[in-house]
Amino acid sequence: MKLVPSSSTVKNALGAHAAIGLLAGALLYLVCLSGTVLVFYQEWQRAEQSDAPEMAQISPDAVQRGVEAVMASERGKPATTHLYIHLPVAKLPRTTITTDSQAVHLDAAGNVASPEENGWSEFLYALHYTLHLPGLYGMTVVGVLGMLMLALSLSGLIAHPKIFRDAFRLRARHRGGVGLSDWHNRLSVWTLPFGLAIGLTGAVIGLGSVTVYVVADRYYGGDVAAVYATVFGKEAKPDPAKAPLPDVAAALRYMQAHYPQVAVTYATLHDPGTAGQHVQIAGDHPRRLIFGEYYNFDAEGRFEGSAGLADGAIGQQAAASNYKLHFGNFGGLPVKIAYALFGLALTVVCATGVYIWLGKRQRRGVSEPRLRAAWNGVIWGAPAALLVTLAARFALGNAAPFTTIFWSFLAGAILVSVVRGRPAPRGSHGPDRLR
């Protein structure tokens, strides 16, 4: 007996397939859009809290005073396992201490000046990094989207053998969608190296955690820390016994004396206030793609060695180079502007790709008015939702529910678009009429 699905079943399956494709396209569009805006992450932080104290540098003794003041304010709270000190750099000339329960700015003398209030910037970062999904799940989804971007770039290149010859050919507006396809193809060519780099590094960053868990389970008996140690160096063995706070000032003075060419960006106190504590200094190396090198110190500020991100195994250096290459944190403002422009082009490529796909389906007699309307809601609703959350930041303050506002507004925009949508006249391809 031959089982043949009914025509209605086939139609429903095709509709479901199209909806899944639209969902993947929407998530990729959101990642590209948020990444474009996130290029100016430090600038957004400064704009959010323009009255925070700024300085070109801060003395090691002032940093030590700040650490002691912050830790004193945490008495009675759960113990902080990691204390992070952001040190002033050209892109963000502020000193900020972050613990497991608070984040505060210091003034140049090391006094606690005010709480850190960059809720919108962190909302934007989380949107791009995890799509606001729980940690590992969100990073995995975004990593898969990075692989999808890489696959789309390569398959698009192979599917259009004349793509480089026609790199600057733009045909006139056409009812069949030729004009839209040309803009899609041209932008894809112009941004090809960027798209490949962003897709590859995004996949590596997003899927890195999953890979670590798999490698740990297969080769390290489930010890995730041991896998990370091969790249970023080992952490000291924990000892919860109480101890005086570490001498961060001594470690910073050592960096000034022995590594004057390195721009110190972060100091991390592991298990501060315990006998197992140690200090880790992150330093940015000029004219290198690595995000920095880790310099390790004991609690007394004695140097213990570096992790090897700057001069270790080639795999370590490659792993440490993903972040700057992905986020454009090198070369100053000109590189950021270039990344923003290329990111905008990639966002347009994502948007037009789905319109082209819907247009082809319509020309084959498969009309998808609701899907087209939903896509219109995504394309215009997402940037509008970002603007609404930014307005909420300055109208309602740092504690505004940015995530709820964003996804509620976007869902509403899609719903309104679908409800108002009507089947387009045959042969009409909405976006082409706008060119």
Side-chain angles (χ1 to χ4, degrees):
M1 179 179 178
K2 190 175 181 180
L3 297 177
V4 179
S6 65
S7 58
S8 62
T9 301
V10 172
K11 184 177 180 181
N12 290 336
L14 288 173
H17 178 77
I20 292 170
L22 191 67
L23 174 62
L27 295 179
L28 189 57
Y29 173 78
L30 287 176
V31 169
C32 289
L33 175 65
S34 58
T36 300
V37 182
L38 190 63
V39 167
F40 299 104
Y41 179 54
Q42 292 89 355
E43 287 77 7
W44 287 120
Q45 287 181 288
R46 297 180 75 178
E48 274 196 82
Q49 199 172 9
S50 58
D51 58 347
E54 296 192 342
M55 63 219 70
Q57 59 186 9
I58 187 170
S59 72
D61 290 331
V63 173
Q64 185 72 36
R65 285 192 294 272
V67 169
E68 292 171 356
V70 170
M71 289 301 294
S73 72
E74 301 226 327
R75 292 193 183 109
K77 298 179 181 178
T80 287
T81 57
H82 292 85
L83 182 147
Y84 302 95
I85 309 164
H86 175 273
L87 295 157
V89 294
K91 292 177 288 189
L92 190 61
R94 297 176 175 181
T95 304
T96 307
I97 294 181
T98 304
T99 70
D100 293 347
S101 60
Q102 63 176 320
V104 296
H105 295 300
L106 303 183
D107 63 20
N111 302 310
V112 175
S114 61
E116 183 186 43
E117 295 183 343
N118 57 354
W120 189 82
S121 301
E122 296 306 316
F123 147 81
L124 181 65
Y125 187 89
L127 174 61
H128 181 70
Y129 213 71
T130 66
L131 288 169
H132 297 139
L133 296 170
L136 183 61
Y137 300 102
M139 291 181 65
T140 301
V141 169
V142 173
V144 170
L145 291 173
M147 293 179 62
L148 177 61
M149 179 185 293
L150 193 62
L152 288 171
S153 298
L154 292 174
S155 60
L157 180 63
I158 295 170
H160 299 83
K162 299 179 181 179
I163 198 167
F164 288 109
R165 190 194 70 180
D166 296 336
F168 297 97
R169 183 185 181 190
L170 289 171
R171 285 167 285 188
R173 185 168 68 125
H174 191 278
R175 288 184 65 198
V178 171
L180 190 65
S181 296
D182 274 358
W183 273 111
H184 177 85
N185 293 337
R186 297 303 80 82
L187 289 175
S188 298
V189 173
W190 300 340
T191 62
L192 181 61
F194 178 78
L196 292 175
I198 293 299
L200 177 60
T201 54
V204 170
I205 294 171
L207 297 177
S209 297
V210 176
T211 303
V212 165
Y213 277 96
V214 172
V215 172
D217 182 66
R218 179 67 177 83
Y219 298 104
Y220 292 84
D223 189 351
V224 173
V227 181
Y228 279 117
T230 62
V231 178
F232 302 109
K234 296 181 180 180
E235 288 197 22
K237 186 177 180 180
D239 184 344
K242 296 294 183 182
L245 289 172
D247 194 342
V248 185
L252 292 173
R253 281 193 289 267
Y254 183 94
M255 292 297 299
Q256 291 176 346
H258 294 83
Y259 295 95
Q261 78 283 4
V262 173
V264 174
T265 55
Y266 271 93
T268 303
L269 278 59
H270 297 264
D271 300 311
T274 71
Q277 67 191 346
H278 65 285
V279 179
Q280 193 174 57
I281 304 291
D284 188 20
H285 285 227
R287 295 187 294 278
R288 293 289 305 276
L289 271 181
I290 59 169
F291 69 81
E293 174 65 281
Y294 286 138
Y295 300 88
N296 299 309
F297 298 82
D298 66 14
E300 283 70 42
R302 291 187 292 260
F303 182 58
E304 296 183 328
S306 58
L309 300 177
D311 55 7
I314 189 65
Q316 281 184 286
Q317 297 186 50
S321 298
N322 278 308
Y323 301 92
K324 276 190 176 180
L325 188 58
H326 187 79
F327 292 106
N329 295 331
F330 63 94
L333 186 59
V335 172
K336 285 192 172 189
I337 293 174
Y339 262 64
L341 292 175
F342 286 138
L344 181 61
L346 276 182
T347 305
V348 173
V349 168
C350 291
T352 54
V354 174
Y355 279 127
I356 292 168
W357 174 65
L358 290 170
K360 288 180 178 178
R361 288 174 63 82
Q362 185 170 336
R363 288 193 293 277
R364 289 197 295 264
V366 183
S367 181
E368 303 278 8
R370 288 187 176 84
L371 284 181
R372 182 180 290 275
W375 188 245
N376 287 335
V378 171
I379 295 305
W380 300 110
L386 283 179
L387 289 174
V388 170
T389 57
L390 183 59
R393 165 63 182 87
F394 294 104
L396 305 177
N398 188 64
F402 303 112
T403 302
T404 301
I405 292 172
F406 176 83
W407 290 106
S408 298
F409 187 95
L410 179 57
I414 296 171
L415 180 62
V416 169
S417 184
V418 170
V419 170
R420 295 183 60 186
R422 295 289 185 272
R426 189 170 184 80
S428 173
H429 305 283
D432 265 12
R433 296 198 302 270
L434 300 178
R435 294 193 317 282

